[in-house]
Amino acid sequence: PGFLSRIMFALILLFFLVASGDLFLMKMLQSFERFSDKRRAVVVMKAIEDRLGYYLGGIALINAGLGVVIGAAMYLWGLPSAIVLGFMAFGLNFVPFLGGLMGATIAAAVAFVSLDGTWAAVGVFVTYIALTSIEGQFITPMAISRRMRLNTTIVFLTVAFFAWIWSVMGMVVALPILIVIKIICDETQSFATLGRFLGDVDHGR
């Protein structure tokens, strides 16, 4: 019940955010008096829309591909409901760090029960982790713009904080929130140093 209530809260919040349209932008513009500040605010909001949409769209496509590959790998291992495991991999991979480990553990448990062998479960676990590691270490860094990459330590602390205050849903929304903060810092001269700190070792402007 607690988990379902958090999902319902997130969906209701998303509904009101979508229904509000440009209300937040209008209120933000009204809070500035100088025209130059209003224009800068519009530029920052446009950058947030473009770069966040690019990032989330790219991650969704990468996760979809990962789900297909993992589903095929689980099918080759002879696991039942390999398609379900592929969809599970797609959803869990939106959770940084823990998503892949959770998916590998679930797949290994299914293998242990259905294939009646410890070594089969170990093989499934290793296969799942290997595929997610290839995605995380090679595919995503090559596909995502360097400016959008984040400091790994900051990502971990942000995910831990939001998981503490909002459980699983917090882990899902932690990364988009951190990305929005980084974009604002990148587009605001006074916070440019913080933006560089939030970026990874290759970040540069």
Side-chain angles (χ1 to χ4, degrees), residues 3-18:
F3 177 71
L4 293 178
S5 65
R6 294 185 187 97
I7 294 179
M8 288 301 300
F9 177 80
L11 292 177
I12 294 173
L13 176 61
L14 179 62
F15 169 78
F16 282 116
L17 287 175
V18 173

Side-chain angles (χ1 to χ4, degrees), residues 96-115:
F97 305 113
L98 298 179
L101 182 60
M102 292 167 57
T105 302
I106 294 172
V110 173
F112 183 80
V113 173
S114 60
L115 302 182

